[in-house]
Amino acid sequence: MSALSFRGVARALVAAVVLGGAAAAAVHTRERWQPLLFPVAAAPADDHAAAPAAATGRVVLSEQAQKNLGLTTAPLTPTTFWKTATLPGMVVDRPGVTDRGVIAPATGVVAKVHKAAGEAVRPGEVLFTLKLLSESIHLTQTELFKAAQDAELAKAQRATLASSGVAPPARLTEIDNQLTRLAAAARAYRADLLNRGLTPEQIDAAAAGTFATEMRVTAPSRAHDATGVELEVQEIRGELGRLVQSGETLCLLSDHRLLAVEGRAFPDEAPLIDRAARGGWPVEVDFGDEGWPSHGQTFRVEYVAATIDPESRTFRFRFPLDNQARGDGKDEWRFRPGQRVRVLVRVEKLDDVFALPADAVVREGAEAYVFRRNGDSFDRKPVHVVYQDRRHAVLANDGSVSPGAQVAQSGAAQLNRMAKAGTGAAPPGYHVHADGSVHANH
């Protein structure tokens, strides 16, 4: 046999030995690799776990699960609901009420500014100190001092004549008339100085010969400010060192308790506004804020503009708004001028319907559902939605859900997903069958 033939036979024998060893090893370890390549379905442990829960339209929730979802229920009550049209609006100052200017009572130089823009101030608090340059105030103080001195001299002269016992009655009468004229003049000077901003103490000092050279400008009060509500400094116009004339505005104050809501509507929406204004129908306002208690106000349109804005092609309508404050050492107003709102104007009346929050209804294509509570379970019920907006869902009282039924007021979308997946959580120690019934675990 040649050397080449011998090498070929040797290779064949080695290959046969290797393949035989691999086959033996595979047979020996098949219990480990066979399940990985050819898995076998495991037999169900019991009949309850054999298949996933079917979608039954029922969700069972424990008390803790209901709290986690924030679910609340309320009975269905037939009511009257108004369809509304949503119009844009804004919180604005109430004309002639909210803003008030503080003017300089006399000509002078601003010597001190006591408040800054944005700060709160109560009626009577000092806002500015003016260095008086008013010639008329100085002249009035001088005249008051002269009248006071003349009155003192006339009184002394009369006392001397009266004590002598020889004074003619006509002379005494003349002195009395002079005292009357001086007293009237002094009262007039005092009233003038008081109107110009001097305090009673400064006026008394001027009558004694000490003239006022400075004046304090204080925050004004109003007739309805029984509790001394805080005002807000909106704008400072009297800067430090500035010469201001009598009657010039020093600052602007705002009383944010009394505001207004101004809505905007297009001309084709005018009949809605006119009908609401003439009929005295209340309008609703969606302020889009949370964490505040209900304002408890009824809004009615009180003003409708007679002109149309040429740029926006809309007209204005307005109604008053009383602000709310959260007092915790400092007033915090709920409504602020410039705040955007939605104004809801009534359009159509719906009688004998169920009004629910929008989150209480879930839609699937043409179908709509609510969830009626039955103990710890919530059953999905199809309903007819006659109207829906971002806040409300209105249902027809057609017998699909009976009046008085307890219906979930929120979380309908979550409950619907759970109902479709059959994943309603049963209370501990219980399980849910495919037909929706709840049984204790064995």
Side-chain angles (χ1 to χ4, degrees):
M1 179 181 297
S2 65
L4 182 60
S5 300
F6 180 80
R7 284 197 298 270
V9 172
R11 289 194 190 96
L13 291 175
V14 172
V17 171
V18 172
L19 290 176
V27 171
H28 181 70
T29 60
R30 66 181 181 275
E31 293 181 357
R32 285 180 292 178
W33 59 264
Q34 189 173 10
L36 299 177
L37 296 178
F38 308 98
V40 179
D46 57 62
D47 57 344
H48 296 309
T56 63
R58 172 178 294 179
V59 179
V60 180
L61 297 176
S62 65
E63 181 179 353
Q64 290 77 10
Q66 295 177 37
K67 291 180 180 179
N68 291 337
L69 293 176
L71 289 182
T72 59
T73 60
L76 290 178
T77 304
T79 185
T80 297
F81 186 87
W82 283 87
K83 285 186 177 181
T84 57
T86 302
L87 303 176
M90 179 185 296
V91 177
V92 297
D93 294 329
R94 191 180 302 185
V97 177
T98 302
D99 289 340
R100 178 167 183 172
V102 177
I103 65 172
T107 301
V109 175
V110 179
K112 189 173 183 180
V113 180
H114 296 267
K115 296 290 182 179
E119 291 189 29
V121 59
R122 293 187 178 275
E125 284 193 65
V126 180
L127 298 173
F128 299 91
T129 297
L130 299 181
K131 183 72 174 178
L132 289 174
L133 298 180
S134 173
E135 192 174 312
S136 60
I137 287 185
H138 290 304
L139 181 60
T140 302
Q141 290 184 93
T142 301
E143 294 297 330
L144 175 61
F145 174 66
K146 288 174 58 178
Q149 293 300 309
D150 291 343
E152 291 296 329
L153 292 175
K155 288 178 182 179
Q157 186 179 10
R158 190 187 188 287
T160 301
L161 291 175
S163 61
S164 65
V166 294
R171 178 57 181 163
L172 295 177
T173 301
E174 181 181 351
I175 295 176
D176 289 339
N177 292 337
Q178 182 183 4
L179 288 173
T180 301
R181 289 193 298 272
L182 290 173
R187 286 196 299 271
Y189 296 142
R190 285 177 175 273
D192 182 50
L193 293 175
L194 190 63
N195 290 334
R196 289 173 175 266
L198 267 64
T199 64
E201 293 76 15
Q202 287 178 310
I203 295 173
D204 291 338
T210 304
F211 297 160
T213 59
E214 289 186 345
M215 175 184 295
R216 291 186 172 185
V217 181
T218 60
S221 60
R222 299 179 179 178
H224 58 264
D225 288 335
T227 59
V229 68
E230 288 186 349
L231 306 175
E232 183 176 314
V233 181
Q234 287 292 98
E235 181 183 356
I236 296 291
R237 297 184 180 178
E239 296 85 1
L240 186 65
R242 179 183 173 187
L243 174 64
V244 292
Q245 301 296 326
S246 176
E248 187 174 346
T249 300
L250 294 173
C251 69
L252 295 177
L253 301 180
S254 290
D255 182 357
H256 287 305
R257 293 176 305 161
L258 306 175
L259 301 172
V261 173
E262 183 177 276
R264 292 276 182 168
F266 287 101
D268 58 351
E269 297 167 327
L272 302 178
I273 307 302
D274 292 338
R275 184 168 53 183
R278 290 195 308 268
W281 291 354
V283 297
E284 297 181 48
V285 181
D286 180 6
F287 294 101
D289 55 358
E290 297 179 357
W292 287 87
S294 174
H295 50 73
Q297 301 176 60
T298 301
F299 303 114
R300 289 183 171 85
V301 177
E302 293 187 355
Y303 166 79
V304 179
T307 58
I308 295 178
D309 185 352
E311 294 185 2
S312 64
R313 303 304 300 167
T314 60
F315 65 92
R316 298 176 293 123
F317 61 94
R318 189 171 56 239
F319 47 88
L321 169 66
D322 295 338
N323 211 340
Q324 289 178 272
R326 178 184 292 150
D328 46 4
K330 182 179 180 181
D331 286 340
E332 178 187 345
W333 296 111
R334 176 179 181 181
F335 309 120
R336 290 282 184 175
Q339 178 180 340
R340 298 284 182 177
V341 300
R342 296 182 179 89
V343 182
L344 309 177
V345 182
R346 292 184 172 183
V347 176
E348 181 183 351
K349 185 179 181 182
L350 303 176
D351 291 317
D352 191 28
V353 292
F354 300 130
L356 296 175
D359 290 342
V361 177
V362 62
R363 288 182 177 270
E364 282 189 1
E367 296 288 344
Y369 302 98
V370 297
F371 284 83
R372 184 185 65 186
R373 182 170 189 167
N374 183 14
D376 286 335
S377 66
F378 291 82
D379 299 327
R380 187 174 68 172
K381 296 293 181 181
V383 293
H384 174 206
V385 178
V386 297
Y387 173 74
Q388 187 168 8
D389 56 27
R390 63 185 298 270
R391 297 192 304 161
H392 303 98
V394 182
L395 313 181
N397 185 8
D398 55 6
S400 56
V401 185
S402 303
Q406 293 285 337
V407 172
Q409 300 295 295
S410 62
Q414 294 171 292
L415 292 174
N416 189 57
R417 286 194 295 269
M418 297 171 67
K420 291 173 62 179
T423 57
Y430 294 82
H431 61 270
V432 184
H433 279 266
D435 61 358
S437 60
V438 182
H439 293 274
N441 294 332
H442 298 297

